[in-house]
Amino acid sequence: MPRFYIEADLAVDMNVELTETVFHHWVKVLRAQVGEKATLFNGQGGEYQVTLLEVAKKSARVSVDCFNPDDRTPAFSTLLGQVMSKGDRMDYAIQKATELGVSKIQLLTSERCEMRLKYDRDQKKIDHWQGIAIAACEQCGMNKVPEVLAPVSLQDWLTCELPTTKLVLAPNKDQVDVLASATPDIALLIGPEGGLSEDEIQLSNDAGFMNWCIGNRVLRTETAPVVALSILNYKVTV
């Protein structure tokens, strides 16, 4: 059954007009016919089964048949601070982080950041990445879409109020098990392709971040959130 995110209020027994995006994908691309069913979710929890009632040239309406309360998000919350990278690498990082249940994604700039968004390009790129997160939720079954937050500098982010457990992917010389005391509320900092500078790692440590070293290999910036979030899904219990 096709599955779509829709920015609309949903409730059982109501009729809803499809948004332009859902109309295009389901009716125009997939050529849905009256009577076909789909799953809709609006990010407020759970999902709804709907039936296509009528199709016009540029619009369509559905009836909301039933509600499924399933919440497939992890039992813990993760705020991912991801230093931006160019091209498909950032798309991949956001897509896979969403599939692995990240709660929010804070875009960051740093000393070695390859990317600088400028003025009118900012929102277009942010909207693109938010769309990546939405599409990932549609595919993987997540019912709550992580918000992709506008970029800030690493230094500014470190001064914000952040989750209780703070982890930065960086060498851990003392081999401390940083997950042993992890709470269900986590901030995860991942640097750019060239890594965080020594000064930036120290700044993060001063802000309460613990160095987390995953194995003895150097991970690419788009691979790091996949590995880290996979481990958190396995290790962190509530």
Side-chain angles (χ1 to χ4, degrees):
M1 186 182 299
R3 191 169 186 278
F4 306 103
Y5 171 76
I6 185 170
E7 294 184 25
D9 292 330
L10 297 171
V12 176
D13 294 332
M14 72 183 294
N15 293 344
V16 177
E17 185 167 335
L18 297 180
T19 58
E20 182 179 350
T21 301
V22 178
F23 173 78
H24 174 76
H25 192 175
W26 190 22
V27 178
K28 292 297 186 182
V29 177
L30 298 180
R31 300 186 181 280
Q33 302 295 314
V34 170
E36 291 190 28
K37 297 184 181 296
T39 298
L40 298 183
F41 66 102
N42 59 7
Q44 297 176 22
E47 59 192 20
Y48 297 80
Q49 182 176 298
V50 301
T51 302
L52 190 57
L53 284 179
E54 57 185 50
V55 176
K57 186 175 181 180
K58 294 184 179 180
S59 64
R61 293 177 66 80
V62 298
S63 63
V64 182
D65 304 328
C66 60
F67 175 67
N68 177 0
D70 282 358
D71 182 2
R72 302 181 184 101
T73 56
F76 61 93
S77 172
T78 307
L79 168 60
L80 172 63
Q82 178 79 42
V83 177
M84 294 183 294
S85 54
K86 289 184 177 180
D88 293 343
R89 286 178 295 180
M90 196 66 192
D91 291 2
Y92 181 89
I94 290 173
Q95 181 188 63
K96 301 311 174 188
T98 299
E99 290 178 21
L100 288 162
V102 73
S103 304
K104 286 186 179 180
I105 301 172
Q106 175 63 69
L107 305 174
L108 297 173
T109 60
S110 70
E111 182 180 324
R112 297 169 182 164
C113 179
E114 300 174 313
M115 190 169 190
R116 295 289 189 275
L117 298 185
K118 295 183 179 178
Y119 308 112
D120 59 331
R121 288 169 40 200
D122 284 15
Q123 196 56 53
K124 290 181 180 178
K125 200 64 180 175
I126 294 167
D127 289 346
H128 166 75
W129 286 325
Q130 188 67 68
I132 294 286
I134 288 171
C137 285
E138 291 176 336
Q139 181 274 324
C140 74
M142 290 274 288
N143 289 324
K144 295 180 181 178
V145 180
E147 183 180 4
V148 180
L149 302 171
V152 297
S153 70
L154 173 59
Q155 290 83 350
D156 287 344
W157 188 58
L158 293 176
T159 65
C160 296
E161 185 175 348
L162 296 173
T164 306
T165 297
K166 305 175 184 66
L167 304 173
V168 53
L169 261 61
N172 181 350
K173 297 178 182 178
D174 298 327
Q175 299 297 313
V176 176
D177 182 3
V178 296
L179 299 186
S181 59
T183 68
D185 195 18
I186 299 167
L188 174 64
L189 171 58
I190 293 176
E193 189 67 18
L196 297 171
S197 69
E198 291 296 327
D199 288 343
E200 288 170 333
I201 293 173
Q202 185 60 56
L203 277 175
S204 68
N205 294 156
D206 293 343
F209 279 77
M210 298 179 289
N211 289 8
W212 183 20
C213 183
I214 303 175
N216 56 8
R217 293 175 299 279
V218 178
L219 301 176
R220 296 179 67 90
T221 184
E222 71 271 24
T223 309
V226 178
V227 176
L229 287 165
S230 296
I231 294 172
L232 291 176
N233 271 279
Y234 178 71
K235 288 279 193 178
V236 178
T237 57
V238 180

